[in-house]
Amino acid sequence: MARVLIVGAGLTGSLCAALLRKETPRPVHLTVWEEAGDSGGRMATARSPCNPQSTVDLGAQYITRTPHYAKKHQSFYDELLAHGILKPLTSPIEGMIMKEGDCNFVAPQGLSSIVKHYLKESGAEVSFRHRVTQINLRNDKWEVSKETGSPERFDIVVLTMPVPQILQLRGDIANLISECQRQQLESVRYSSRYALGLFYEAGTKIDVPWAGQYITSNPCTRFISIDNRKRNIESSEVGPSLVVHTTVPFAVTYLEHSTEDVQELIYQQLESILPGLPQPVVTKCQKWRYSQLCPPQGVVRLNVILNICQLNQSSKFSTREHYVDLRCSLENTGSINQAHMRQPGGILVGNFIYDTFILPAHL
């Protein structure tokens, strides 16, 4: 049975795991390692320590289905809607630009529930606080080391972390990427943002006429959402939650500052936009060093000894095209073709895939 390691428990990793479990004809042992303490990645949902029912989306805020992807990935949307994981966004979002045929969705339990759904479907063994540090080739297996604990060996490895983190990995992987390929990867750029989540006591009122608002006139603040209202969740037993996303220039300026100092600056700007805002009981500040890919980006294909390394640089995701290559790698065990490169002896030595998403996620 092939052992497959997927590094990263965000949308990419979770969906890849679910598709492999569903469509690969051969039995595989799926393992997912995540460096954070929970799944979600850039679809992270935080819970109030005072009341776990109070949540706030610190990453993506809603899902946009364009007419193109409505046709291409309708089955995925149908599944998530049927399970109640997604529902149409009906609350007012001021300043949101809508194109003809677009449809927006929110997740009642937070957008991380999409990731958790796919991980559950995959049946993968998921481990948190596992940060990969190096990858080496040992006896036709990939030996993967993490910050703590002993290295483990796998037949296939799928990397779904941001490109700069891939380039920081030590070991044989660094020598298997050509200089030209490395230059392509190093050219990938990301925007950065901070997100500040605020949790309030039950019965607190936030008197604004909208559920979300895009801000264009503040150097710090780009988006504000009354998160429970955005998802049409109102309860006398659960207090409201609010999230603020900063502008990219603000985040770049304060990227290396302490989270505590940045949180104070964000809150000061929030009070200037919403004077009289009640005091929260708990706050959570999240730094997104790798928030979104900066356009324009194309698709970089790397055919190296690692079998296949694909990089989808688009924020308009297309999972299946990239996933199919990985599935074929598991199916074909004795042939060598243009898409699948193997070590001498016909041994499949690995796959590296980055950012093969399906749903457009908005910050």
Side-chain angles (χ1 to χ4, degrees), residues 14-213:
S14 64
L15 183 55
C16 180
L19 288 171
L20 285 174
R21 180 66 68 199
K22 179 180 179 181
E23 299 189 24
T24 302
R26 297 175 177 234
V28 294
H29 182 276
L30 295 175
T31 301
V32 177
W33 287 358
E34 168 59 46
E35 71 171 336
D38 198 2
S39 58
R42 283 167 284 182
M43 283 186 164
T45 302
R47 297 183 180 275
S48 169
C50 302
N51 187 341
Q53 291 182 302
S54 180
T55 61
V56 64
D57 286 325
L58 292 176
Q61 292 297 298
Y62 54 88
I63 300 297
T64 297
R65 184 185 66 192
T66 65
H68 172 72
Y69 286 101
K71 294 179 181 178
K72 199 169 188 178
H73 298 311
Q74 187 61 52
S75 62
F76 293 95
Y77 290 103
D78 288 344
E79 176 187 353
L80 295 173
L81 288 165
H83 283 83
I85 296 168
L86 289 183
K87 68 178 184 180
L89 170 60
T90 58
S91 302
I93 307 293
E94 292 188 358
M96 180 168 60
I97 299 174
M98 288 289 292
K99 297 180 180 179
E100 184 177 356
D102 285 359
C103 185
N104 295 312
F105 300 94
V106 291
Q109 301 303 314
L111 281 174
S112 69
S113 63
I114 300 173
V115 174
K116 295 179 190 299
H117 167 75
Y118 287 129
L119 287 175
K120 183 179 179 181
E121 290 288 300
S122 76
E125 176 186 323
V126 184
S127 297
F128 299 110
R129 310 293 184 190
H130 279 40
R131 183 175 183 274
V132 173
T133 56
Q134 62 179 299
I135 300 175
N136 292 293
L137 187 60
R138 297 285 186 267
N139 299 322
D140 297 327
K141 300 284 186 180
W142 290 111
E143 184 179 85
V144 185
S145 302
K146 48 190 184 294
E147 281 189 332
T148 58
S150 302
E152 296 187 37
R153 294 187 179 186
F154 301 89
D155 299 286
I156 295 173
V157 176
V158 182
L159 299 180
T160 72
M161 66 269 251
V163 169
Q165 294 180 351
I166 293 176
L167 292 173
Q168 290 169 8
L169 292 174
R170 304 190 304 273
D172 293 337
I173 180 177
N175 301 322
L176 293 172
I177 299 176
S178 71
E179 184 60 31
C180 177
Q181 293 161 349
R182 181 172 294 277
Q183 288 176 4
Q184 288 180 301
L185 290 173
E186 289 175 345
S187 71
V188 176
R189 294 291 180 266
Y190 292 81
S191 62
S192 301
R193 294 181 191 270
Y194 279 93
L196 177 63
L198 301 95
F199 300 95
Y200 296 87
E201 291 182 341
T204 302
K205 301 295 182 183
I206 301 177
D207 190 19
V208 294
W210 38 261
Q213 185 181 57

Side-chain angles (χ1 to χ4, degrees), residues 83 226 259 351:
H83 283 83
I226 315 301
T259 302
N351 293 271

